[in-house]
Amino acid sequence: MNPHLTLRRSIAAVRMSATLDVNQQVVAARQAGQDVLHLGFGQSPFPVHETIQRSLGQHADKNMYLPSAGLAPLRSAALDYFSARLGFAADGYTCMVGSGSKELIFAVQLAVAGDLLMPVPSWVSYAPQVIMTDDRVIKVPTADSRHIAAEQLDRTIAAARREGKHPTKLILNYPNNPTGLSLDTTALEEIAAVCRTHGLVVISDEIYGLVDFRGNHRSIAAFYPENTVITTGLSKHLSLGGYRIGFAMVPTAQPALFDALLCIASEIWSAVSAPAQYAAVSACSGHRELEQYIASCTAIHQLITAYVRDRLSSFGVAYPALHGAFYLYPDFAPFREALAERGVTTSDQLAADLLTTARVATLPGTAFGDEPETLTLRLATCDFNGQSALAYYHAHPDCTAQALVHACCDEIRRACDCMEAYFTRPTSIA
C-alpha cells in the first residue's frame, strides 16, 4: 500500500456489497465451468418488454444532458403511476429521477442529519451507507414476523436517546428483502403515529411494491405524508435493473429536502441516461400489455418462492406465508447441533460451507444485520430463465408451483435438492 495514501476512515470500514460480491463470484465460477446453484442474488430475470425496447430504440439519439431532477414528462408520469399503485396522494409529492433507487436512498441519508433507525434484518446496503455518512446505525429488533412493531420502535428511540444517539430517520422496506414479508395497514398506521410523535423522517423503500403477491400494497405515506420519502424504481417489477432508473417521491411539505437532493444529484450523477429516461416514460404509462406482463411475472415469482418455501418445510424449516418479492430468510436453528458437529456455528460459516460442499450460493444473516450466531440465510429465487418461465406460464396459467419449477426452473429445483441433502443427508453431499 502507498504509505502516502490514507483512506477516509468511514470508507475504509465499508466492504463490497454482499449481493454484488456473491453474484460476481458465481458468474466467475460458472465461466470457469463450475456448476454453482445461485440463490445469492436478487435480479429479476424476465426479458425486457417489447414496448420498452421499442421506446429505448426510438430515443437512442437523445444525447444531451437532461435536468438533474429528471425528464419532466417522466417525473409526472412516475408520480401518477406509483401514487395510484402504492396508495399515496400525488398532490403531496414531487418526483425526482435517480440512477437507481439505491443512489436516491443514499442521497436522502446524506441530506438528513442524524442517526438511522434500521430494522433487523434489513437489506445489505442500508448500514454501509450510514457508515459512509459518518452517522450511526440504531438497530430495531423485530419479532417473529421479522418486521418492527410500533411499541418496539418507540422503546428503541427512547433507549437510543438515553445513550446520547440522535435518531432522526427510519428506513422501511416492504415487501421486504430479505424476508419476502410485508407490513399490514394497521402496523403501518401504528408506526406512522410513533414517527409523527418523534418527528422522524421515514425513508420508505417500496421497490417491491409492485411485486406484492396479494396486490394490496399500501404505502406508509398514506398515513404520514408530511415526512415520508418513498423510493422505488423499475428494476424489480419490470426486470430493468441494468437501466438504472429510480424515483424518489419527496413531500412537498419538505422543499428544503428536495433542494438538497437536487444539489446532491447535480454534483454526483449530474443526470440519468437520457435514452433510458425517455424509455421509462413508457414503463410508467399503465399500458395494458405492460400491466399484464407485470402481473404474469409477479405470479411466477410467487409460484417459485412458494415452491422453495414448501421444500424448506418438507425438511423441517418452517416459514410463514410469503407476501411479495423473491426472497426467503429461513433460520436453520433446527440443525444447530448437527451443524456444530461440522464446525458450523455462524451464518457466515453456514453460507461458506453450503457453497463449498453443496454448490449452493446464499448470503449469511450477518449481511442483513443479524448476529453471527444466528443461523439465517437469505435465499433469492431468481436463478431461472425468465423467457422460458413466461412462455410456460402463459401456456399453463393455472399451473402449480411444482409443475412450473419442474418444467423450466431446473436450477431452483436442484438448489432445493442440494440444500435438503446438505441438512438431512450430509454424507450424500459430494
Side-chain angles (χ1 to χ4, degrees):
M1 179 180 288
N2 187 331
H4 301 294
L5 186 150
T6 303
L7 291 176
R8 186 183 300 276
R9 185 164 27 183
S10 59
I11 300 302
V14 175
R15 298 292 177 263
M16 176 77 175
S17 167
T19 53
L20 297 176
D21 187 33
V22 74
N23 189 54
Q24 291 180 14
Q25 290 182 45
V26 172
V27 169
R30 286 179 169 177
Q31 289 175 343
Q34 299 176 32
D35 181 22
V36 180
L37 299 162
H38 199 1
L39 301 183
F41 191 52
Q43 177 170 252
S44 189
F46 298 104
V48 178
H49 194 276
E50 292 178 358
T51 299
I52 299 172
Q53 291 191 45
R54 284 195 301 270
S55 183
L56 183 65
Q58 290 165 2
H59 295 100
D61 63 330
K62 300 296 190 297
N63 63 338
M64 307 300 286
Y65 282 95
L66 294 176
S68 293
L71 181 68
L74 176 57
R75 293 174 62 198
S76 176
L79 183 57
D80 289 344
Y81 183 84
F82 285 103
S83 63
R85 287 158 180 79
L86 302 182
F88 64 94
D91 59 5
Y93 279 86
T94 302
C95 177
M96 172 174 283
V97 184
S99 51
S101 62
K102 188 175 191 176
E103 287 87 340
L104 290 164
I105 291 169
F106 178 65
V108 177
Q109 296 224 55
L110 185 62
V112 179
D115 300 326
L116 180 76
L117 292 151
M118 186 186 81
V120 177
S122 273
W123 181 51
V124 299
S125 289
Y126 299 149
Q129 288 184 356
V130 177
I131 292 170
M132 288 190 282
T133 64
D134 285 322
D135 293 325
R136 290 171 289 193
V137 174
I138 302 168
K139 293 184 178 182
V140 185
T142 57
D144 292 340
S145 66
R146 301 307 257 167
H147 269 298
I148 59 171
E151 297 85 356
Q152 181 62 63
L153 174 62
D154 194 48
R155 288 194 296 270
T156 302
I157 293 168
R161 287 174 175 162
R162 286 195 299 270
E163 294 168 3
K165 297 175 182 176
H166 184 44
T168 62
K169 299 167 282 193
L170 168 68
I171 196 155
L172 294 176
N173 170 230
Y174 54 103
N176 179 259
N177 176 4
T179 67
L181 306 177
S182 199
L183 288 159
D184 61 28
T185 299
T186 299
L188 290 171
E189 288 182 293
E190 292 172 349
I191 292 168
V194 172
C195 292
R196 182 173 286 111
T197 297
H198 293 283
L200 300 179
V201 172
V202 175
I203 306 170
S204 189
D205 179 359
E206 302 183 38
I207 191 73
Y208 298 100
L210 299 187
V211 195
D212 187 305
F213 301 154
R214 302 167 298 176
N216 63 352
H217 179 88
R218 189 79 183 275
S219 174
I220 192 172
F223 312 109
Y224 190 44
E226 69 272 23
N227 231 13
T228 296
V229 179
I230 305 141
T231 61
T232 186
L234 306 179
S235 59
K236 308 306 178 184
H237 64 287
L238 286 171
S239 297
L240 293 178
Y243 277 47
R244 306 310 302 139
I245 297 284
F247 306 103
M249 311 300 175
V250 184
T252 54
Q254 301 293 349
L257 177 56
F258 186 87
D259 290 346
L261 296 179
L262 184 59
C263 291
I264 291 169
S266 72
E267 299 292 0
I268 298 180
W269 62 81
S270 297
V272 177
S273 161
Q277 287 200 63
Y278 279 98
V281 175
S282 64
C284 297
S285 66
H287 190 280
R288 181 175 58 84
E289 289 186 1
L290 270 176
E291 296 303 293
Q292 291 174 343
Y293 164 88
I294 294 168
S296 295
C297 294
T298 300
I300 292 168
H301 281 309
Q302 181 176 14
L303 288 167
I304 294 173
T305 52
Y307 174 87
V308 176
R309 175 184 178 272
D310 290 346
R311 289 295 305 272
L312 291 170
S313 178
S314 73
F315 61 86
V317 181
Y319 204 82
L322 291 151
H323 300 150
F326 24 84
Y327 307 105
L328 301 94
Y329 193 66
D331 186 346
F332 293 95
F335 300 96
R336 182 176 298 279
E337 186 175 332
L339 289 169
E341 292 177 1
R342 302 185 212 174
V344 174
T345 60
T346 68
S347 64
D348 291 277
Q349 292 171 342
L350 177 56
D353 196 50
L354 191 61
L355 179 58
T356 300
T357 63
R359 308 187 312 280
V360 179
T362 63
L363 283 181
T366 51
F368 301 88
D370 261 335
E371 296 302 314
E373 63 274 10
T374 303
L375 295 175
T376 46
L377 296 177
R378 203 285 303 271
L379 313 180
T381 58
C382 300
D383 191 17
F384 61 91
N385 184 296
Q387 182 68 66
S388 298
L390 271 174
Y392 182 86
Y393 180 76
H394 288 154
H396 307 86
D398 297 320
C399 65
T400 64
Q402 183 171 352
L404 173 68
V405 170
H406 281 252
C408 52
C409 306
D410 194 55
E411 293 86 353
I412 297 292
R413 179 193 60 79
R414 291 197 297 127
C416 290
D417 288 346
C418 288
M419 282 196 299
E420 181 174 1
Y422 175 86
F423 286 105
T424 65
R425 302 186 300 278
T427 57
S428 70
I429 298 292

